[in-house]
Amino acid sequence: MAPTYRVLPLYLLLALSVLTACGRKQELAPMPGDLAAAPAALSKRADAGEAASAEPAQQRYLALTHRYTIESAPQRMRAVIDAHLQRCRELDCVVQSESFSSPANDSLPSGRIAVRVARKQASAFAAGLAGPGARVLRQVTDTEDRTLQVVDVEARIANLQQLRERLRALMGDVRSGVKELVEIERQLAETQGELDSLAAQRKVLALETDRELFEIDYLSQRSAVERGMLDPVRDALLGVGHTVAGSLSALITFVAGALVWLLPAWLLWRFLRSRRQHDQD
């Protein structure tokens, strides 16, 4: 067995190595707080990366059409229509059409208007349609997406504007000959014409997408007596119609059934008549 004084230095070196390794592990091991904060930091970095890579959402251009049916007393219908038109003008709207038929020959009055209201004022205008003397019977809203049309028109306008600027620059080039200048001027006129046409289309699209269309039909309100007065006449007319239809149906059935036997009977009668004449001869 080796002497103790020779083995002791080896034991001391081994112990020192173990203590050094443990110290390094403690330095590298993260604290519990660091472990809790690490996922949050990674999540923030990921969110920042997604936000940086995300593209801005494209603006949508929608054309909204509201269709209303409003019932009003016959004697107050004109006043109701005027009140709605006045409310429209207060909200800076555009009146596209207006019609009103006065009562004549026992007919009831009726009316119709079509107005375009700014989108931010549309809710206020719709809220004022129902009121004293006016009752909303029906309301439907249709939505049309005009985004593709608007984007296409704006892109074509931008391209033509660039072409117009290049043509104008060529017009000022002193090196261009007369023939080239005439051709450039012709192309410039065509480009300007297309630009004017596209600008008009863009204005129409802006009117449809920036303002909401309200189409309102006005019907006369009938009293309870008027609604029930003609019910017996209506029932009688319906009864007569059913009777006529039933009789016509029976007649058609009889004629169809008679035709089935009429042709064979006529052929038999012709045959017997020809035989009788032959026997007499």
Side-chain angles (χ1 to χ4, degrees):
M1 189 172 183
T4 305
Y5 67 89
R6 293 181 178 179
V7 178
L8 184 60
L10 295 176
Y11 287 159
L12 293 175
L13 289 174
L14 181 61
L16 183 60
S17 300
V18 172
L19 291 175
T20 304
C22 292
R24 290 179 179 177
K25 289 183 180 179
Q26 290 179 356
E27 291 177 359
L28 296 175
M31 297 299 290
D34 296 336
L35 289 175
L42 291 175
S43 177
K44 290 181 179 179
R45 291 177 183 177
D47 293 341
E50 292 179 358
S53 61
E55 296 181 356
Q58 185 183 33
Q59 181 182 358
R60 298 182 63 190
Y61 298 87
L62 302 178
L64 276 68
T65 302
H66 308 280
R67 295 181 175 87
Y68 281 80
T69 300
I70 294 180
E71 185 181 53
S72 175
Q75 63 274 15
R76 298 194 60 181
M77 181 177 294
R78 182 70 259 183
V80 170
I81 295 176
D82 292 339
H84 289 169
L85 291 175
Q86 179 60 30
R87 179 60 175 167
C88 173
R89 296 185 182 95
E90 293 174 357
L91 297 176
D92 185 24
C93 79
V94 177
V95 179
Q96 290 194 171
S97 63
E98 174 192 355
S99 63
F100 177 75
S101 61
S102 302
N105 299 327
D106 298 332
S107 64
L108 297 175
S110 62
R112 189 177 191 276
I113 65 172
V115 297
R116 287 195 176 274
V117 185
R119 179 147 299 177
K120 60 182 180 180
Q121 303 289 352
S123 299
F125 179 76
L129 292 177
R135 185 167 69 97
V136 177
L137 298 180
R138 179 174 174 269
Q139 189 271 323
V140 178
T141 299
D142 296 331
T143 303
E144 296 183 12
D145 194 343
R146 301 294 178 85
T147 304
L148 293 179
Q149 299 179 29
V150 172
V151 171
D152 178 66
V153 169
E154 289 183 347
R156 293 167 62 187
I157 289 176
N159 292 335
L160 288 175
Q161 286 177 343
Q162 295 178 2
L163 176 60
R164 182 181 61 183
E165 296 304 319
R166 290 195 298 266
L167 291 174
R168 286 177 176 176
L170 291 175
M171 286 286 294
D173 190 356
V174 295
R175 295 173 298 177
S176 301
V178 177
K179 183 178 180 180
E180 289 78 5
L181 289 176
V182 171
E183 180 63 23
I184 293 172
E185 186 176 359
R186 184 186 64 81
Q187 293 184 6
L188 185 60
E190 293 180 356
T191 302
Q192 186 61 49
E194 294 180 12
L195 272 174
D196 294 340
S197 176
L198 290 174
Q201 295 181 30
R202 186 63 185 92
K203 288 182 179 180
V204 173
L205 289 172
L207 183 64
E208 294 177 352
T209 56
D210 296 344
R211 294 177 178 269
E212 300 183 11
L213 176 62
F214 285 81
E215 296 179 347
I216 308 173
D217 292 315
Y218 298 89
L219 302 179
S220 295
Q221 179 183 9
R222 296 187 301 169
S223 63
V225 176
E226 291 174 338
R227 288 195 295 268
M229 183 183 303
L230 298 178
D231 287 345
V233 178
R234 182 194 61 187
D235 295 339
L237 292 176
L238 290 176
V240 171
H242 286 301
T243 302
V244 173
S247 300
L248 183 59
S249 175
L251 178 61
I252 293 174
T253 302
F254 172 76
V255 172
L259 288 176
V260 175
W261 298 103
L262 184 60
L263 182 59
W266 180 74
L267 293 175
L268 180 60
W269 176 77
R270 289 289 304 271
F271 174 74
L272 294 177
R273 184 180 178 185
S274 61
R275 286 290 302 274
R276 185 179 302 172
Q277 290 179 355
H278 180 70
D279 294 340
Q280 291 178 357
D281 294 341

